[in-house]
Amino acid sequence: MQEQLKTAKIGIYDINYLDVGSGTPVVLIHGLAGDYSAWTSQIQLLKDHYRVIAFDNRGAGKSTQVDEAISTQDLAKDTLGLMDFLKIESAHVVGRSMGGAVAQHMALMAPKRVKSLVLCASFAILDPLGRRVLLNMREALEWRMNWSDHARHSVQNFVSADFFNHRQEQVKKIEALIGGETRLPACYSRQNEACQNHDTSSQLRFITQPTLIMAGQNDPICSLTATKILSDGITNSKSIIFDNASHFFLMEQADKFNQSLHDWLSTQA
């Protein structure tokens, strides 16, 4: 990506971010795995029509990495702090997986600052299957202390069986992406725990912003059980289910996802 990356001091943390385009702001929050580059395709899609902000969460990418307890509320405060730094009064907020959990807290903490929400492969609370999958991935990393081994043990959780069996070249690229992490393993473990502890299920009725919920039909991490909790709890919401896709439906069915995101934002502006 050729755009200039910058650093913001948010509290005691350095947050690595990208700020491109102009117009209504759209803030993109990545998930437990990866960094701001998880949004590469969407940044290119949106930057000609919106001011797009993508960044590395604390504990990921080139942002400050510290082995410390952290919560999804903490990450929401960081994101609101970045909006303050960039003098963004309000924005559409798009979060994938853990990023969607962070976005929910933003909507609850500062409702006037969130124009709309897009929650991709996300959750208000993990169901037992999601908890087990995340725990297994965390333990694989802690046992092996090797990102490549972690990726090898985890990649099948992110894509559908059909995609895994018939798109091996793409699977290898995803595995390389996961295995190419630069963060401290301890930061991943801390954020994995933050996902396990996240629970906004009793507060969803207070989220009144227009919300688009997108989920993969075969996602074991954020299953349709978790998706239903979101859609039932957020009354002003619309759901799109990606058939025969899993946690990384954004990559498995990129054209459908990008079109759905574009269509949603164009109706919310």
Side-chain angles (χ1 to χ4, degrees):
M1 186 173 297
Q2 313 224 331
E3 290 86 356
Q4 183 68 38
L5 288 164
K6 300 177 182 178
T7 301
K9 179 67 76 172
I10 308 300
I12 63 172
Y13 305 100
D14 290 331
I15 302 297
N16 183 57
Y17 73 94
L18 184 73
D19 180 359
V20 295
S22 61
T24 302
V26 177
V27 174
L28 306 174
I29 312 175
H30 69 81
L32 178 59
D35 54 28
Y36 87 96
S37 65
W39 296 109
T40 297
S41 174
Q42 289 71 45
I43 292 166
Q44 299 308 311
L45 172 74
L46 300 174
K47 68 178 184 177
D48 291 337
H49 306 283
Y50 302 93
R51 180 183 179 187
V52 182
I53 312 299
F55 63 98
D56 298 339
N57 284 312
R58 181 204 317 183
K62 294 183 179 179
S63 292
T64 299
Q65 299 188 26
V66 180
D67 180 4
E68 62 182 1
I70 194 169
S71 68
T72 49
Q73 294 100 317
D74 293 331
L75 295 173
K77 291 174 184 175
D78 287 352
T79 310
L80 290 167
L82 180 61
M83 289 174 62
D84 289 340
F85 178 86
L86 297 173
K87 295 180 170 52
I88 295 173
E89 184 176 337
S90 62
H92 300 291
V93 180
V94 184
R96 60 190 294 177
S97 194
M98 183 185 74
V102 172
Q104 293 164 51
H105 278 303
M106 292 174 65
L108 291 165
M109 290 176 182
K112 292 183 179 179
R113 305 197 66 183
V114 177
K115 290 178 176 292
S116 76
L117 285 173
V118 182
L119 307 178
C120 315
S122 195
F123 57 98
I125 185 171
L126 291 167
D127 65 11
L129 176 60
R131 289 185 183 282
R132 177 61 61 86
V133 172
L134 279 191
L135 178 61
N136 287 350
M137 290 195 294
R138 188 178 89 208
E139 288 182 341
L141 179 61
E142 292 171 347
W143 290 338
R144 304 293 292 180
M145 292 305 289
N146 180 288
W147 283 110
S148 294
D149 287 353
H150 165 74
R152 182 166 51 84
H153 285 284
S154 302
V155 68
Q156 71 278 0
N157 296 314
F158 295 116
V159 298
S160 65
D162 186 58
F163 189 89
F164 190 95
N165 287 332
H166 298 104
R167 306 283 293 277
Q168 275 289 292
E169 286 305 311
Q170 287 86 346
V171 171
K172 288 177 183 177
K173 290 179 181 178
I174 294 172
E175 189 170 335
L177 185 69
I178 300 168
E181 281 275 22
T182 58
R183 79 173 76 186
L184 296 172
C187 290
Y188 172 88
S189 293
R190 295 285 198 171
Q191 293 190 9
N192 187 298
E193 291 171 3
C195 291
Q196 298 270 2
N197 293 330
H198 176 82
D199 183 2
T200 53
S201 58
S202 65
Q203 300 171 275
L204 294 177
R205 67 185 185 277
F206 300 117
I207 296 178
T208 58
Q209 296 89 341
T211 302
L212 176 63
I213 299 165
M214 291 191 269
Q217 181 185 42
N218 306 124
D219 186 352
I221 302 171
C222 301
S223 73
L224 294 187
T225 300
T227 302
K228 189 173 188 300
I229 293 171
L230 278 177
S231 59
D232 286 352
I234 303 175
T235 54
N236 190 14
S237 67
K238 168 187 175 182
S239 297
I240 299 175
I241 306 301
F242 287 69
D243 296 335
N244 196 28
S246 187
H247 197 63
F248 277 10
F249 64 82
L250 296 81
M251 301 171 76
E252 289 187 81
Q253 298 181 21
D255 289 345
K256 178 179 176 180
F257 172 74
N258 286 338
Q259 188 64 55
S260 298
L261 178 61
H262 179 272
D263 290 349
W264 172 262
L265 291 174
S266 67
T267 64
Q268 299 304 318

